[in-house]
Structure formats: C-alpha cells, structure tokens
Amino acid sequence: MGVKTVADDKYMDPDHIRDLFSRGMSSMYQAEVPLYGDLLTLVASINEQKAKEQLTDISEQARLSVERHGAIRVGTPEELALFTRLFVIMGMQAVGYYDLTTAGVPVHSTAFRPISEAALASNPFRIFTSLLRLELISDVALREQAKQILAKRDIFTERLRELITLCEQQSGLTHAQAHDFVGEALHTFRWHALANVDLATYQALHQAHPLIADVVCFQGPHINHLTPRTLDIDAAQQQMIKSGMDTKAHIEGPPTRHCPILLRQTSFKAQAETIRFADGHEGVHSARFGEIEQRGAALTTKGRALYDALLVKAGEDIQERSTDAYQDHLRAVFSAFPDTWQQLHAQQLAFFYYHLTSTGQAAQGRYTPDTLPDAQTLVNEGLLSITPIIYEDFLPVSAAGIFQSNLASHTFIPPSDRANSLVLDTETAMRCISQSQLEFERALGQKIIEPNYLYAQQMHQSFQAATAYLMGIKH
Ligand code: OOG
Ligand code: NI
C-alpha cells in the first residue's frame, strides 16, 4: 500500500492523520449524542481522582480520557474493502477476527488499529468493524431486497475516493490533503435521520434482526459508539447509574482484580431516536450508545484458555443476578486465575515487557549465550523486572454482550443448515470458522493480523534487548 509510516516534510504522518480523525469523530459524536459528552465528563472526573494515585507522568494524564475505540457495521464485502483502504492511510490495519454468529449476532468482525508500540502511544484509536452476514437471513426474498438496497448506496463521498486514490498513487497526503481527507472521511460515519427505505421495509428487516435494519436502512455506516478509557470502571459504572444513565447491568469481561487482565467494558444503552422513512412516516431507531473501557494485561494462549473456561463456568446463571451479586460471583470463580504479576509471568499466562533493574545494569556482560539463564531465573534473581503488555484488542463474548444489550433482546436464530454447521463436531466447527475468516479476509483484501503474534513479538524483542546488554552485546 506504500503509505509512509514516518513523518517527512511533504506528507503528513499517518499517526497524525489518525489523531485528527479521532478528534473529529469525538466532536461529531458529542454533537450528535449529547449524553456521550456527559459520559466523557463523568469519566474525566473519575480519572482525575484516580490518576493522582496511579500515574505520575503528566503527559500521560493529558491523554487519559481520549477515545480508545469506536464501532461501525458495514453491509457488503465491497464496503469492507473500502475501509481497508481508508484506514491504512491513518496507520490502521486489521487485527483479530471475531465470529459473532456463534454468539447469536449475524456479523463477523475485525478491529482496524495501529500496531506498533510507538503508534499506539501516539494515538491508540481503533475501529471495531463488523460485516453483516446477509446469507444468514433465511427469507430469500428479504435477503435479495436487502442486497439490492445495499447495492444502491455509496458510503464514501466522491472527494474521499479521489483522495484515497491520490494517497495510494503518491504514497502519502500533504497536510492540506490530509485535512481535506479527514473532513471527507467523517461524512461516512455521520448519523442519518432519514432512512433510505419505507417503514414497511424497515419493519420487515427489523423483524429478521434489528441489526440488519440498522445496517441496511441508512445511507451510511454511522458510528454507533465511542469509548474512552477509565482508570476505575467500577466507580464509573456506579456514577453512570447514579446520574440516571440507562446503564448495562453487568460490566463485561473479567472481574475487578489486583492485576487487571484483558478488557472490562460497560455502556449506557442505545437511545431510541426519531427517524423519518422514505415514505414520510416517522419512527424510532436504537443504534447509538456510549461505552467505557478499562484495559489490563494481554494473555497468552494458555492464559486466554483459562479466562474462557472461567467465563463459561461463571456464565451459567448470570442473568438472574444483580450487578453486585454478579461481580461477587465472578470474583469467586476467578479466584482460580493467579493475581500477582510474578505468578502470571511464572505460569506464562500473560505477556510482559522486560526491563533491566539497577542490579541488571551492574551486570553488563556477565553472561554468554551459553550461560544465559531463562527469563524466570533472571526475574527471580532481580536482574530483570517485568511490566504487563496491555491488551489492545477485543473480546468476542463481551462484544456479543454489547451488541445484544443494544438490540432490544432479540435472539438470532440462524437458518437450519447454518445452525447445524455451527454446532457440529469440533472439527467441522473449526473448518466453518476458518472458512468464514477466509471469506472475511477475501473481502478485506488482506490477511488479518493475529493479536497474540504482536504481543509475543513485543515480549520477545524486549527480552532480546535486555539480555543483549547482560551478554555485553552492543546494538
Ligand atoms: C460493536 C460491539 C463491539 C466492543 O467494544 O466490544 C465493541 C457494535 O456494537 O457494533 O465495540
Ligand atoms: Ni465497543
């Protein structure tokens, strides 16, 4: 794709373009959904209190409550392909594949996000992007109708297409072009109060699944939420309830822990908004909500397997429980998940960065490749310290929970042939899953990056750098 990853005089750095874009999205969404502005204020005040206890770095504090992610849903493979081209200009690539059909939501998804440590630090903004699986609508006539409606819409402005092509040709955008590009890109994510179908069509699609109506009936893939980071999601959730927001009953993800892992999220639910249909009728549509998140350590495959197993164990009777009772129950089940960084490292449950301690600094050249002890020994002997690598991705079970809580509790039942293939033996299920990932990648026009590959690489590189010093190897 030939987009420059470093700033030069002529072209704007993709990280800078992403920063402009995320700020533009934030202003636009606050103007469109005023309650989201209230949520940002609430989170900023909680973060300010917490920051005094947790963070010392002032520059980090300034960026604390900025949005970490947003989400959109697209209708066709062609639309998805356009986003691959749009997001790469902002330094964002498809990471992680999430098949939500297994959780009753007729989409599969990826997250477009920056991947290098430096890019994440400069602006971590990412967009969770879901592709509707129209083939799962069992009513053939309705499926055809949905396809035809989608085929007629154009979600990018003409100018945006021109700028994307220009960027691809010249391998970057000048500052003026980049500002133009961000302005044009924002149009794609705006809300449309005017549906592109009549009321009857909306109702038929809504009946098949509310999500189908949300994707098919509008002129573009409106941003459906933005999500700032909070330092204390339990306090923020309480505050949201107190201030009268229609808040999700449960925080998605792991319970409160000393050592936070993965991702915890909650939201105020989608608001019913007045829309007008092509035939002049008025109605309401619920799509847009406000979410908050708190992130912890990325887990290894082994750690993730333990997390998934405990979540299944905890999940059997969650709906009956109150918020507090659910959290207590979850905490009890998760007592089986080690909760010190040392244990998480020793048992290889999470990914870490290694740093030389002062003892390590004094041990330059002490080892050769043959005598170098393993990581755990170096940590035990105090030569290396560890800090967790933060999880930058999403959780399919949480994502499905988020979709569901904003869809007026509609359970999706796949057509019978699909239903069978989704619950057959593991081997068939595996083949099905990778088959749908292949289809998704074909639409994207590129391979999806595996999140754990990135974390493992970061861990490995930091170990290499630290131990090179201990072996007296100069870089
Ligand atoms: C996306 C839901 C997934 C998250 O934070 O897991 C998501 C959607 O509702 O379109 O954003
Ligand atoms: Ni989200």
Side-chain angles (χ1 to χ4, degrees):
M1 306 254 150
V3 175
K4 290 246 182 329
T5 51
V6 287
D8 64 27
D9 293 342
K10 199 162 157 212
Y11 296 133
M12 191 186 279
D13 187 334
D15 290 346
H16 188 176
I17 304 180
R18 182 175 65 261
D19 194 47
L20 287 177
F21 173 72
S22 72
R23 287 167 200 275
M25 288 285 266
S26 181
S27 311
M28 186 175 84
Y29 201 58
Q30 284 179 65
E32 287 184 349
V33 183
L35 190 60
Y36 176 65
D38 298 350
L39 181 63
L40 278 184
T41 310
L42 185 155
V43 165
S45 110
I46 299 243
N47 283 356
E48 202 184 315
Q49 289 162 28
K50 276 275 149 188
K52 293 194 187 106
E53 302 159 27
Q54 292 185 10
L55 296 163
T56 45
D57 184 349
I58 295 293
S59 66
E60 174 66 13
Q61 282 190 30
R63 298 199 44 79
L64 212 53
S65 312
V66 301
E67 282 81 4
R68 299 295 152 143
H69 81 263
I72 54 168
R73 304 149 183 175
V74 301
T76 64
E78 292 74 22
E79 288 178 355
L80 186 62
L82 282 176
F83 282 105
T84 303
R85 294 170 65 200
L86 180 91
F87 287 131
V88 78
I89 296 175
M90 309 183 210
M92 296 154 87
Q93 291 178 58
V95 180
Y97 174 73
Y98 308 91
D99 184 355
L100 299 180
T101 54
T102 52
V105 182
V107 303
H108 45 173
S109 319
T110 191
F112 286 97
R113 72 164 175 89
I115 57 175
S116 76
E117 251 176 88
L120 282 162
S122 117
N123 184 315
F125 192 63
R126 63 215 93 179
I127 297 262
F128 191 88
T129 305
S130 301
L131 173 62
L132 185 62
R133 296 184 66 180
L134 274 184
E135 73 273 21
L136 299 183
I137 301 185
S138 46
D139 178 338
V140 180
L142 193 64
R143 193 193 312 161
E144 269 318 302
Q145 192 184 3
K147 263 192 199 152
Q148 280 169 21
I149 298 166
L150 286 168
K152 274 194 234 137
R153 76 177 186 183
D154 196 347
I155 59 170
F156 282 13
T157 63
E158 216 178 299
R159 180 70 186 138
L160 183 58
R161 284 173 189 276
E162 276 169 26
L163 286 161
I164 291 172
T165 306
L166 183 67
C167 180
E168 288 167 351
Q169 283 166 356
Q170 65 188 19
S171 298
L173 292 174
T174 66
H175 284 240
Q177 288 162 354
H179 282 279
D180 200 3
F181 166 81
V182 168
E184 292 294 325
L186 288 175
H187 282 302
T188 302
F189 301 89
R190 321 203 305 259
W191 177 245
H192 299 272
L194 180 64
N196 57 3
V197 297
D198 57 27
L199 176 62
T201 307
Y202 175 89
Q203 283 172 338
L205 290 167
H206 197 274
Q207 180 64 29
H209 195 286
L211 197 66
I212 298 174
D214 183 57
V215 177
V216 176
C217 298
F218 298 90
Q219 201 40 51
H222 41 259
I223 183 86
N224 65 49
H225 68 286
L226 289 179
T227 307
R229 170 188 176 197
T230 175
L231 291 177
D232 186 343
I233 199 164
D234 297 293
Q237 159 108 344
Q238 275 172 21
Q239 200 60 44
M240 284 166 73
I241 294 168
K242 226 192 253 167
S243 69
M245 290 181 190
D246 181 16
T247 309
K248 265 176 69 71
H250 303 309
I251 295 174
E252 301 281 351
T256 318
R257 296 162 42 88
H258 295 298
C259 301
I261 50 170
L262 298 172
L263 172 64
R264 304 182 73 211
Q265 301 169 292
T266 189
S267 69
F268 67 74
K269 294 191 197 165
Q271 300 182 292
E273 297 176 88
T274 305
I275 56 167
R276 219 148 40 80
F277 295 96
D279 55 0
H281 278 103
E282 273 209 350
V284 288
H285 179 68
S286 299
R288 304 190 301 165
F289 57 101
E291 186 187 49
I292 58 176
E293 67 178 35
Q294 186 173 6
R295 288 181 180 267
L299 299 184
T300 60
T301 307
K302 182 182 170 199
R304 182 54 184 270
L306 180 57
Y307 171 80
D308 287 337
L310 293 178
L311 206 61
V312 167
K313 197 168 164 203
E316 273 135 26
D317 53 353
I318 54 166
Q319 293 315 330
E320 285 81 59
R321 294 173 192 261
S322 68
T323 307
D324 286 348
Y326 172 67
Q327 281 299 321
D328 288 347
H329 167 67
L330 199 60
R331 260 201 300 275
V333 173
F334 269 78
S335 59
F337 207 114
D339 200 10
T340 67
W341 296 127
Q342 293 299 328
Q343 284 174 318
L344 290 168
H345 180 263
Q347 296 181 34
Q348 299 180 355
L349 294 168
F351 289 107
F352 291 91
Y353 288 118
Y354 296 99
H355 317 273
L356 287 165
T357 60
S358 51
T359 314
Q361 297 276 359
Q364 187 175 23
R366 179 186 293 176
Y367 300 105
T368 67
D370 289 338
T371 62
L372 185 73
D374 65 14
Q376 188 58 45
T377 308
L378 290 167
V379 170
N380 291 345
E381 290 180 359
L383 294 164
L384 297 183
S385 63
I386 50 173
T387 52
I389 298 179
I390 298 298
Y391 188 61
E392 303 290 353
D393 295 286
F394 293 85
L395 298 170
V397 174
S398 301
I402 290 157
F403 270 104
Q404 298 291 15
S405 61
N406 288 297
L407 290 175
S409 65
H410 184 115
T411 310
F412 166 70
I413 302 168
S416 57
D417 55 336
R418 285 281 173 168
N420 290 339
S421 66
L422 289 172
V423 292
L424 278 178
D425 58 285
T426 323
E427 201 201 314
T428 312
M430 294 280 289
R431 219 160 357 106
C432 249
I433 287 163
S434 60
Q435 181 64 33
S436 58
Q437 177 162 352
L438 283 176
E439 278 168 27
F440 192 91
E441 290 181 338
R442 202 171 305 134
L444 269 180
Q446 61 177 206
K447 279 213 159 43
I448 290 170
I449 301 168
E450 173 59 39
N452 274 15
Y453 168 77
L454 297 175
Y455 302 124
Q457 210 179 26
Q458 284 169 352
M459 181 158 164
H460 178 71
Q461 280 166 2
S462 89
F463 185 70
Q464 292 291 101
T467 54
Y469 180 91
L470 295 174
M471 295 186 290
I473 299 166
K474 292 214 170 57
H475 276 294

